[in-house]
Amino acid sequence: MSGTVTTPERKTQEEREVQKQPPYHVILHNDDDHSYDYVIRMLKELFAYPEEKGFLMAQEVDTKGKVIVCTTSLERAELKRDQIHAFGPDPLIPRCQGSMSASIEPAE
């Protein structure tokens, strides 16, 4: 047995800091071709929001023209935007031809 003692390598401050991605907002845009029921159901299925929260968001998108539905990493924001775009038409509105529109933008 030798008398040598090994010490753990010390990490620099830079290595200890976790590199965080900047957050992004997923924004749902209003149109006249989707009902409150559609918005509430979509938010429940895609984001697991309770109906009460879905209703408040549907009300905000209707009155203000847009609503932030979530804030997350860029990769997840892109996924959620794409899921909104793929959700399909509102079966309650015959003239409805497709999904609602959504966008992403950096959260400031």
Side-chain angles (χ1 to χ4, degrees), residues 17-64:
E17 290 180 9
V18 176
Q19 293 290 334
K20 291 187 177 182
Q21 291 184 355
Y24 284 80
H25 294 310
V26 179
I27 301 165
L28 184 65
H29 299 277
N30 190 39
D31 60 36
D32 294 327
D33 291 336
H34 297 89
S35 64
Y36 272 44
D37 287 341
Y38 174 93
V39 175
I40 293 166
R41 183 171 46 86
M42 177 186 64
L43 293 173
K44 186 174 184 178
E45 289 184 29
L46 298 183
F47 297 91
Y49 289 153
E51 289 184 13
E52 297 79 17
K53 184 171 184 167
F55 175 79
L56 292 174
M57 288 183 157
Q59 197 171 37
E60 185 172 339
V61 76
D62 185 38
T63 58
K64 296 185 178 176

Side-chain angles (χ1 to χ4, degrees), residues 3 9 12 20 26 35-36 59 65 68 75 78 85 90 102 105:
E9 248 183 72
T12 65
K20 291 187 177 182
V26 179
S35 64
Y36 272 44
Q59 197 171 37
I68 296 170
E75 186 176 275
E78 290 172 336
H85 289 165
D90 186 338
E105 66 182 36

Side-chain angles (χ1 to χ4, degrees), residues 71-84:
T71 303
T72 186
S73 68
L74 176 60
E75 186 176 275
R76 184 158 173 80
E78 290 172 336
L79 170 67
K80 290 300 181 183
R81 176 202 57 204
D82 293 348
Q83 288 177 332
I84 291 170

